[in-house]
Amino acid sequence: MSTDESMGHAEEVPHQNSKPSILLIVALVVALASAGLSGYAISKATSGTPSESLAASVKDGDLYVAPVDLEGFIGTVEESVVEIFCYGTGTGFAYDLEVEDSEYKTVVVTNYHVVSDCLDDPSAMEIYTYDQYETPAKYRVRGVDEENDVALLEIVEELPILYGSEYFAKRGWWTMVIGNPVDATFENEEDWRTLFNATTFGQISYVLDNYFNYTSATINGGNSGGPLLNSRGEVIGINTQAGASTEGGVWNVAFDMEVLCKKLITCD
């Protein structure tokens, strides 16, 4: 009997290169076999810097080591993370983008597959901000990109925002996955809510086409749409895929934030 198991999406149940503004995306299965790493420099796609507390968390600016105050680091980051319910559990995060509708205060990034089942019935989706479980946030869907598995939402709450990394990730960088993993062993909502903003840690093991960020930090079910961060608190990518098999081993993939440049925002 084969022991292979594929997880697919993480679904519900310094020499560095500056980021280009537009990237060609190849199919993952093809890319795994044949694509190489590129290394030319263009302007970065996002503006801004991490909060002072996050930026100061890295000793001597070393992105290959964990933050000095890891507990404080997690506490700061999780204030920007939201929990998304759409017939299952997913994650999103407040990001450095201007809202398009003045009624709303914060742009939230997530995966398309986290919200897709609720697009025809917005009332079926609920979004909860950090430490607020009683009343879901009022939201609007700003845009979705099914092909690249990304979606933008806007919520009325004003959350601290996270910023994108100015540089592409490098092998060996310390990374953190944060989100809302599903644990089917919990019998009621009150129990599994204790896992809100759970974290895993690891290193970047490989970067494919400056787009697919492979990390040893585990992306669990429910982590989809959450951020993969470096030790400065900058977003490297959107946690999107995970898998495990006897042949391919264990892999966790976050799509680089440049995915937003495909259809949803204009990048300089």
Side-chain angles (χ1 to χ4, degrees), residues 15-94:
H15 170 73
Q16 298 167 315
N17 297 322
S18 298
K19 288 187 172 180
S21 57
I22 299 293
L23 293 177
L24 294 177
I25 301 177
V26 295
L28 179 60
V29 64
V30 175
L32 286 173
S34 62
L37 297 175
S38 59
Y40 55 89
I42 302 181
S43 60
K44 70 174 183 177
T46 58
S47 61
T49 57
S51 68
E52 290 185 7
S53 59
L54 291 177
S57 65
V58 185
K59 184 177 181 180
D60 300 325
D62 189 351
L63 292 174
Y64 294 87
V65 299
V68 176
D69 177 13
L70 185 55
E71 182 178 4
F73 180 90
I74 296 171
T76 299
V77 169
E78 69 179 349
E79 295 180 11
S80 303
V81 178
V82 303
E83 192 169 25
I84 300 174
F85 289 95
C86 175
Y87 302 104
T89 304
T91 304
F93 59 96

Side-chain angles (χ1 to χ4, degrees), residues 124-221:
M125 185 160 68
E126 296 180 344
I127 301 173
Y128 294 90
T129 59
Y130 172 68
D131 206 27
Q132 297 293 324
Y133 303 125
E134 300 301 325
T135 305
K138 181 180 179 181
Y139 79 93
R140 66 180 287 264
V141 178
R142 171 167 164 174
V144 298
D145 180 354
E146 180 177 3
E147 179 183 359
N148 298 295
D149 199 10
V150 65
L152 292 181
L153 312 173
E154 294 184 353
I155 61 174
V156 295
E157 284 78 359
E158 186 169 6
L159 302 184
I161 59 176
L162 299 175
Y163 296 90
S165 173
E166 182 177 357
Y167 302 104
F168 288 114
K170 293 294 181 183
R171 298 177 76 174
W173 273 17
W174 180 91
T175 55
M176 180 177 81
V177 165
I178 185 168
N180 309 297
V182 175
D183 190 330
T185 63
F186 289 160
E187 295 181 357
N188 58 64
E189 179 176 313
E190 182 178 351
D191 288 338
W192 58 254
R193 276 196 182 281
T194 62
L195 283 178
F196 181 71
N197 286 348
T199 53
T200 60
F201 313 98
Q203 276 73 39
I204 292 291
S205 57
Y206 188 60
V207 181
L208 186 61
D209 277 353
N210 283 333
Y211 182 78
F212 301 103
N213 295 290
Y214 288 76
T215 176
S216 58
T218 302
I219 298 176
N220 294 299

